[in-house]
Amino acid sequence: MGPGAWAVRRLTPVTSSLAAKPGVCPRRRRGSGMCAEYCADDSDCPGAEKCCHNGCGHECVAPYTVKPGRCAFPRGTPMCAEYCYHDGQCPGEQKCCRTTCGHACSEPC
């Protein structure tokens, strides 16, 4: 690490089963989070939270589930906004799919 850089290190021994919890880590938004290691794997996190990379370190966050099906290839959908970040934000069976320059809820194929 360069001058002025810092990191928080885990001081307790990790005694985990390395079993991954269900769900997917949320897509990171711009930038990075704290450069600290708050967890090493999912078993370090309470409840249903998962240990996810935040752009610099790892932290416990609420996961989202991926709905079945897949997104169609974006075909000139002129939507340049983030209407959703993950499937759980879409109604019914809709999935959060890429548009030409963003994401929006749409029916799976």
Side-chain angles (χ1 to χ4, degrees), residues 39-109:
C39 57
D41 60 60
D42 290 353
S43 66
D44 292 333
C45 299
E49 290 185 351
K50 293 182 67 68
C51 183
C52 300
H53 182 65
N54 65 12
C56 187
H58 287 84
E59 62 186 321
C60 295
V61 295
Y64 67 88
T65 54
V66 177
K67 293 180 183 178
R70 57 189 177 95
C71 293
F73 186 75
R75 287 179 276 223
T77 310
M79 295 168 62
C80 292
E82 296 294 340
Y83 292 102
C84 59
Y85 289 99
H86 59 81
D87 292 354
Q89 295 174 317
C90 297
E93 295 178 359
Q94 289 187 352
K95 295 180 66 64
C96 183
C97 300
R98 286 182 98 115
T99 61
T100 50
C101 59
H103 290 83
C105 296
S106 65
E107 294 298 322
C109 57

